[in-house]
Amino acid sequence: MITANLSAIFYLISGVLFILALRGLSSPETSRQGNFFGILGMIIAVTVTFLSMGNFSTGFVYVLIFILVGGSIGAFIAYRIPMTAMPELVAGFHSLVGLAAVFVAISAFLNPEAFNLGMPGNIKLGSLIEMSIGAAVGAITFSGSVIAFLKLQGIMSGSPITFKGQHPLNAIILTSIIALIYLLCSTQSSNLFWILLAVSFLIGFLLIIPIGGADMPVVISMLNSYSGWAAAGIGFTLENTALIITGALVGSSGAILSYIMCKGMNRSFFNVILGGFGATDEKSNTSSKEQRPVKSGNADDAAFLMKNASSVIIVPGYGMAVAQAQHALREMVDTLKKNDIKVSYAIHPVAGRMPGHMNVLLAEANVPYDEVFELEEINNDFANADVAFVIGANDVTNPVAKTDPQSPIYGMPVLDVEKCKSVLFVKRSLSPGYAGIDNDLFYKENTLMLFADAKKMTEDITKNL
Amino acid sequence: MEIDPLIFRLSIFILSIFVGYYVVWSVTPSLHTPLMSVTNAISSVIIVGAIIAGLSGNSDSVFNTSSIFGFLAIALAAINIFGGFLVTQRMLAMYKKKKKDK
């Protein structure tokens, strides 16, 4: 048994280690060490909790059993999950944090003595407020993440689900959550606690269904942030510094990522979370357009163009992940490099379904990270490059974002792909991308469309090189 | 009058938000996916609350409604801790620099 003061100091240390874990991610070299700090922080926090409880009875054995069961499941998933499924995995993990927060809050509400929070029906007011906020945010995180997971996994359609009165309904429910927390704190009624949880689960569900598949980077980051605030809420209840620090870190981390993602699409956060973007209400726009001529080619043409190039920039997008084309792509690049062709990769902030999605896939395919560049770093190089190879990206290359103020994506930062001498665009068909608008790039003089599956096309090009 | 300890916790909370703000802005965009998985893992430090909840039963009965929720939360948080840290490690191991000498 250690004193409360000593354990508080250890919790502080583990909080600091968590800060160092995030700090390590500022560069790939320090990142592995950072992850180690994170693990160390977690071990300290858990050990100190055991020591401060000083209860090594039967209950302790069960705690270990549950840690082992959960831990083996987690380890199994971590080793088995393909890198392309990372967005789903992260969404799934967020839902677990949310649910764990809810369960801890329920437990604390039912048995406040164990947490030194007072008696059932007479819980300290401050703790009850913190607990109910933590529980509500946790519940929203849980149901929201479950929907995000289902959409990413393709079990649920990625298209936005909208209905009349959606926003007023959500506003009413959100207001009622605040009212419920107020009533709960003044009456201590357990019925109100359960209603609060049910309503929070419901709103998490309703908030995410209207948001479309390609807006998932924002949704995942936002839920990441929520899971942090939920943890912080519980941290206040338990008066635990490690939990408060972590909650604040994770909360602000998710918020910053959402901000970066929104900026990458030139849309406000509210525009994204209110949802409905990319719903099929742009039909008039596309059907009124007459058929414009498109140049299409095959793997042979593409190989010819690239063989005669001296520099090639590759623009990967979500389609590359879907087709699992990253390894085939790297093989193609290896062949190009053998022919002394300079190759770099250009990554748009919202390429893929989560922040940094493309970078992980390229890393998986053994692409060195110093060949991979962000939008601002590489955008000026397109004008000097011979070939741009667009694989699985679409809206993020659309020049309309710079030229047509009427376009829904006007003002969005895009990669200046059209400035290249020639553009190779791998795509299954001419269908518009997520934003529902035609890509002007398809019809440019210097664009060659390669209609095929991304992986197959890349393999064919490699053969022809 | 003595200061409520809540104020101290609030100070830690607010300052940590600022620390988080600056630390996360310095994270390189190519590591944003590992950032998400590691924040996932560390937010599961909520397991400390789950352990307290799980041990809240008395010596006669380890299991009561409250402790069962605690045990469930322990399992969920453990999935996240192990899964989150291991998958982050797996990802970070893939980030390699260009070989200088071919």
Side-chain angles (χ1 to χ4, degrees):
Chain A
M1 187 95 182
I2 56 175
T3 65
N5 282 336
L6 193 59
S7 55
I9 288 175
F10 277 112
Y11 284 132
L12 182 62
I13 293 174
S14 85
V16 171
L17 286 167
F18 291 149
I19 296 175
L20 293 176
L22 300 194
R23 183 77 187 82
L25 290 169
S26 58
S27 97
E29 285 109 80
T30 54
S31 61
R32 282 168 277 249
Q33 191 192 25
N35 200 40
F36 171 74
F37 283 140
I39 296 172
L40 191 65
M42 189 62 74
I43 294 173
I44 292 178
V46 171
T47 316
V48 167
T49 311
F50 281 139
L51 292 177
S52 63
M53 297 290 292
N55 170 1
F56 295 97
S57 57
T58 4
F60 179 71
V61 179
Y62 282 104
V63 171
L64 286 185
I65 291 175
F66 277 91
I67 291 183
L68 272 178
V69 170
S72 348
I73 299 174
F76 180 76
I77 298 173
Y79 281 113
R80 291 298 297 277
I81 193 92
M83 285 297 144
T84 39
M86 211 43 74
E88 292 95 303
L89 179 76
V90 168
F93 278 172
H94 286 156
S95 73
L96 298 183
V97 179
L99 197 58
V102 172
F103 283 173
V104 173
I106 293 176
S107 183
F109 185 79
L110 294 177
N111 189 0
E113 293 131 300
F115 296 84
N116 281 327
L117 304 177
M119 305 294 277
N122 185 20
I123 300 172
K124 279 189 271 175
L125 181 63
S127 310
L128 191 57
I129 298 175
E130 294 150 4
M131 191 192 298
S132 44
I133 293 176
V137 180
I140 295 174
T141 313
F142 171 70
S143 54
S145 302
V146 167
I147 299 299
F149 174 81
L150 294 177
K151 285 195 173 198
L152 287 163
Q153 186 80 354
I155 298 172
M156 209 172 129
S157 153
S159 55
I161 299 170
T162 48
F163 53 87
K164 235 182 157 191
Q166 193 163 25
H167 299 320
L169 176 70
N170 289 351
I172 292 169
I173 297 180
L174 283 172
T175 325
S176 75
I177 287 181
I178 297 166
L180 277 168
I181 292 179
Y182 176 78
L183 285 175
L184 171 64
C185 293
S186 48
T187 63
Q188 305 251 355
S189 142
S190 59
N191 284 337
L192 284 174
F193 184 73
W194 300 117
I195 296 174
L196 172 69
L197 285 181
V199 174
S200 305
F201 279 127
L202 179 69
I203 189 69
F205 170 77
L206 287 172
L207 280 176
I208 308 302
I209 54 167
I211 307 183
D215 283 340
M216 281 303 144
V218 182
V219 173
I220 297 189
S221 318
M222 185 178 85
L223 292 166
N224 187 227
S225 181
Y226 287 180
S227 70
W229 304 133
I234 303 296
F236 275 103
T237 321
L238 305 180
E239 311 185 345
N240 183 307
T241 333
L243 206 40
I244 295 176
I245 295 179
T246 317
L249 286 179
V250 177
S252 53
S253 161
I256 291 173
L257 289 176
S258 326
Y259 169 79
I260 296 176
M261 293 302 113
C262 288
K263 217 176 116 225
M265 298 191 289
N266 188 37
R267 289 168 57 199
S268 74
F269 184 65
F270 285 102
N271 180 292
V272 175
I273 55 170
L274 289 179
F277 192 79
T280 45
D281 51 16
E282 320 250 357
K283 266 184 216 123
S284 52
N285 189 357
T286 36
S287 58
S288 63
K289 229 165 239 168
E290 74 269 42
Q291 285 280 277
R292 291 195 275 167
V294 177
K295 276 199 292 184
S296 79
N298 56 29
D300 209 10
D301 307 327
F304 179 78
L305 268 172
M306 287 208 255
K307 224 189 282 181
N308 291 308
S310 59
S311 69
V312 173
I313 299 179
I314 292 167
V315 182
Y318 182 58
M320 181 188 81
V322 175
Q324 301 262 14
Q326 65 272 31
H327 296 279
L329 182 68
R330 208 250 320 148
E331 276 163 34
M332 185 187 90
V333 170
D334 283 349
T335 323
L336 289 174
K337 280 192 199 155
K338 265 181 214 144
N339 292 317
D340 278 332
I341 298 165
K342 187 177 168 274
V343 184
S344 35
Y345 299 80
I347 307 224
H348 191 276
V350 293
R353 285 291 187 266
M354 74 182 293
H357 192 190
M358 289 301 121
N359 303 78
V360 169
L361 293 183
L362 292 177
E364 187 200 12
N366 275 322
V367 172
Y369 61 81
D370 38 10
E371 285 176 15
V372 182
F373 298 93
E374 303 301 314
L375 175 103
E376 311 87 60
E377 296 173 315
I378 200 168
N379 225 5
N380 292 328
D381 297 352
F382 280 106
N384 304 319
D386 297 306
V387 175
F389 187 73
V390 183
I391 174 166
N394 187 358
D395 290 332
V396 297
T397 62
N398 197 340
V400 158
K402 290 176 285 190
T403 53
D404 179 9
Q406 303 300 315
S407 167
I409 60 166
Y410 182 71
M412 166 170 146
V414 288
L415 292 157
D416 296 335
V417 175
E418 78 282 357
K419 288 187 182 152
C420 268
K421 285 201 192 72
S422 42
V423 178
L424 295 168
F425 207 114
V426 186
K427 205 173 179 307
R428 283 165 182 277
S429 69
L430 270 186
S431 60
Y434 169 68
I437 46 167
D438 229 9
N439 192 340
D440 255 11
L441 195 61
F442 298 165
Y443 313 104
K444 292 266 185 208
E445 191 63 15
N446 56 349
T447 304
L448 190 69
M449 299 297 296
L450 307 167
F451 294 113
D453 172 73
K455 189 176 176 194
K456 193 165 177 309
M457 177 52 77
T458 326
E459 285 166 351
D460 287 349
I461 295 175
T462 315
K463 273 181 215 145
N464 281 306
L465 274 169
Chain B
M1 201 181 115
E2 224 172 303
I3 300 173
D4 191 318
L6 175 68
I7 305 299
F8 290 118
R9 286 192 284 277
L10 202 62
S11 322
I12 295 174
F13 179 63
I14 303 288
L15 291 175
S16 301
I17 292 178
F18 279 91
V19 171
Y21 179 86
Y22 288 105
V23 168
V24 170
W25 270 117
S26 77
V27 171
T28 162
S30 68
L31 291 175
H32 277 163
T33 299
L35 171 67
M36 299 200 91
S37 60
V38 86
T39 50
N40 232 313
I42 65 172
S43 57
S44 303
V45 71
I46 201 160
I47 197 168
V48 301
I51 293 173
I52 300 173
L55 292 176
S56 62
N58 49 40
S59 44
D60 321 319
S61 61
V62 175
F63 291 103
N64 56 42
T65 331
S66 165
S67 76
I68 289 173
F69 275 111
F71 284 122
L72 290 176
I74 290 174
L76 295 177
I79 295 180
N80 250 333
I81 293 173
F82 283 74
F85 280 125
L86 288 173
V87 88
T88 309
Q89 200 164 38
R90 212 183 119 198
M91 276 192 273
L92 293 177
M94 299 185 314
Y95 281 81
K96 288 186 199 84
K97 226 178 178 157
K98 190 162 32 185
K99 283 191 202 88
K100 286 274 147 53
D101 44 325
K102 274 188 197 159

